[in-house]
Amino acid sequence: MELLFEKSRAGRSCSILPMCDVPDAPLPAEAIRKTPPQLPSLDENEISRHYSALAKRSFGVNDGFYPLGSCTMKYNPKINEEAASLRGFTDVHPLQSAATVQGALKVLELCGSYLCELSGMDAMTFQPAAGSHGEFAGLLLIKAYHRARKDAARTKIIVPDSAHGTNPASAAMAGFAVVNIASTKDGYVDIDALKAAVGPDTAGLMLTNPNTLGLFDPNILEITDIIHKAGGLNYYDGANLNAIAGVARPGDMGFDAAHLNLHKTFSTPHGAGGPGAGAIGCKAPLAAFLPNPTLRSDMGGLSFNNNQPDSIGRIRAFHGNFLVVVRALAYLLTLGREGVPAVAENAVLNANYMMARLRGRFDIAPSAAYAKGSPCMHEFVVSLEKLKAEKGVSALDIAKSLQDKGMHPPTMYFPLIVHEALMIEPTETESKETLDKAADALLELRERAESDPESLRSAPRAAVIGRPDEVKAARTPVVRYNFG
Ligand SMILES: *Cc1c(COP(=O)(O)O)cnc(C)c1O
């Protein structure tokens, strides 16, 4: 496909900007470029066709099943988009005075209070723009808490190996040493290893729950208790709250802080680097450290407080991705008290249904847990390690073959503790018919791995680009046009 630069012809244009109706404000000389930018010259028709052609080559939740584990790529109600596109929300300016944006501030307050109720936390901030950003901010809260108590020895964060990859990364970025503990054969936190790891240097624990194997740790209360008794705090990675929303609360499980991915769980599409919100909730003893500004309510109404003296400071410009919060609030108000737990029940039901359909022909990891009939939560992980050894068909081959069946592949090669992993999250919004079709497709591919493995290794057939060099694409992406 030709790039816009290649389609460009000198002299073509589509000036659609209105005439300037304010006086020119010249830029300072040092800000003016020496040569004009090499922008493509095209008419509107060409541009429109170019982007339509690109859109047709991509695959989204509106095109088909998208079971990307640990990401919750689900259908989100369009009415929440409509709420987020109301002029009163889109046209406010972050520097407007509080008195003129009381409605927008009310959205933050209301959504914050609902999410506190759902997570069992006392205070909430919407500043972080992503789950990982929330983790980082949450860890800074923990750091500030210990520092305020003059407990400088607490420099270590314990992270089980079934955590999301961002957990150890965030802990390291927040300046902690990361203590990794291995999971048991069942995929749970190893209680003995945890007891051995805690001490006066323990700042806290970061736990992804349900973990990346789709398991809810049955020892959760004992785990958080061990950390608290050692003087540490517990951080909950609640990126995928759809597994437990309205059914169980991190705050009741002994967690002191948690992030919730409003993109993923609360109706903002996740992926492609779009705007997100990694809302962080915390218990009262951490609230004083929340990032500036915080929301304050007094006689004059709602306003921002920029001067919390113990705050970890500002972690993002302005007030986070506000329209993501609007969608979350619209979603919560639509679902209500009955609807939110129904989301969790369906997320878990759908994942278990699919797992049950695949179980006989695919190895579900960790086999020790699932062989005992343990249910999964909102997702589960298939290991193709044996299939690869026996038939030379890898997780990548199955993923590529699924594309030819009109399905987005699941997350692959994650979590790292499972070899040849396919991590499947059907989500709560899929029908039984869709799940059956997807399970049939996977089972058919499993059969073909025996009868015609070569056809899987050469998939996909239908895609324009079938098998890019993934390492090269990630390490040396070419994102600039070479004018040569
Ligand atoms: C997605 C995810 C994260 C990170 O969220 P981002 O918004 O992508 O930074 C962290 N933990 C878990 C369990 C996740 O699924």
Side-chain angles (χ1 to χ4, degrees), residues 51-326:
Y51 285 107
S52 292
L54 281 178
K56 281 182 195 152
R57 286 187 177 190
S58 69
F59 187 99
V61 282
N62 290 328
D63 299 298
F65 190 47
Y66 205 133
L68 205 62
S70 200
C71 284
T72 320
M73 300 296 276
K74 65 182 178 182
Y75 179 81
N76 286 303
K78 295 291 173 275
I79 193 160
N80 302 331
E81 290 300 319
E82 219 167 292
S85 54
L86 292 173
R87 295 272 313 263
F89 292 137
T90 57
D91 290 5
V92 290
H93 192 281
L95 295 178
Q96 247 170 275
S97 72
T100 63
V101 289
Q102 286 297 300
L105 298 184
K106 188 74 192 169
V107 166
L108 295 176
E109 187 194 41
L110 206 54
C111 194
S113 74
Y114 288 157
L115 292 177
C116 278
E117 187 179 335
L118 266 181
S119 60
M121 295 292 159
D122 299 319
M124 186 74 52
T125 177
F126 294 115
Q127 293 257 334
S132 41
H133 196 190
E135 291 170 24
F136 175 67
L139 287 164
L140 293 184
L141 298 183
I142 291 176
K143 197 173 199 177
Y145 171 85
H146 291 307
R147 190 173 287 166
R149 301 172 75 241
K150 311 246 181 301
D151 195 350
R154 298 194 178 272
T155 54
K156 292 184 178 164
I157 292 283
I158 298 171
V159 185
D161 66 0
S162 60
H164 192 265
T166 50
N167 293 183
S170 304
M173 281 205 37
F176 289 108
V178 178
V179 181
N180 186 50
I181 54 169
S183 304
T184 62
K185 273 212 317 299
D186 287 348
Y188 301 124
V189 172
D190 186 330
I191 296 288
D192 292 330
L194 182 65
K195 282 183 180 158
V198 296
D201 57 359
T202 301
L205 168 85
M206 275 187 105
L207 197 72
T208 302
N209 189 59
N211 66 21
T212 54
L213 298 164
L215 291 164
F216 188 105
D217 203 304
N219 303 315
I220 197 96
L221 295 174
E222 189 180 355
I223 292 166
T224 53
D225 195 46
I226 290 169
I227 298 293
H228 277 162
K229 288 216 169 97
L233 295 179
N234 293 300
Y235 183 90
Y236 189 94
D237 180 336
N240 302 299
L241 206 75
N242 58 336
I244 63 159
V247 177
R249 312 194 308 165
D252 297 336
M253 301 176 210
F255 287 88
D256 305 288
H259 76 268
L260 316 176
N261 280 23
L262 303 194
H263 54 296
K264 290 189 183 176
T265 306
F266 295 100
S267 191
T268 286
H270 174 59
I280 2 169
C282 66
K283 292 283 197 184
L286 291 175
F289 308 114
L290 281 172
N292 275 325
T294 51
L295 205 57
R296 152 176 78 187
S297 172
D298 57 25
M299 301 276 287
L302 292 162
S303 60
F304 283 118
N305 178 7
N306 262 305
N307 303 311
Q308 279 221 98
D310 297 327
S311 166
I312 58 169
R314 191 176 260 292
I315 58 160
R316 192 185 183 280
F318 302 119
H319 313 299
N321 283 320
F322 172 65
L323 296 175
V324 177
V325 185
V326 175

Side-chain angles (χ1 to χ4, degrees), residues 319-380:
H319 313 299
N321 283 320
F322 172 65
L323 296 175
V324 177
V325 185
V326 175
R327 288 188 192 90
L329 180 60
Y331 189 56
L332 288 168
L333 288 171
T334 316
L335 290 170
R337 275 225 162 68
E338 304 77 33
V340 173
V343 162
E345 283 156 16
N346 281 312
V348 173
L349 179 64
N350 279 359
N352 278 282
Y353 179 71
M354 243 191 115
M355 182 172 79
R357 285 222 44 202
L358 300 181
R359 187 176 252 159
R361 299 296 287 141
F362 286 94
D363 296 329
I364 314 290
S367 56
Y370 288 113
K372 288 183 204 155
S374 169
C376 65
M377 296 299 287
H378 61 300
E379 63 194 3
F380 61 95

Side-chain angles (χ1 to χ4, degrees), residues 467-479:
R467 298 218 178 196
D469 181 334
E470 311 219 351
V471 174
K472 207 167 159 203
R475 300 289 163 188
T476 47
V478 180
V479 291

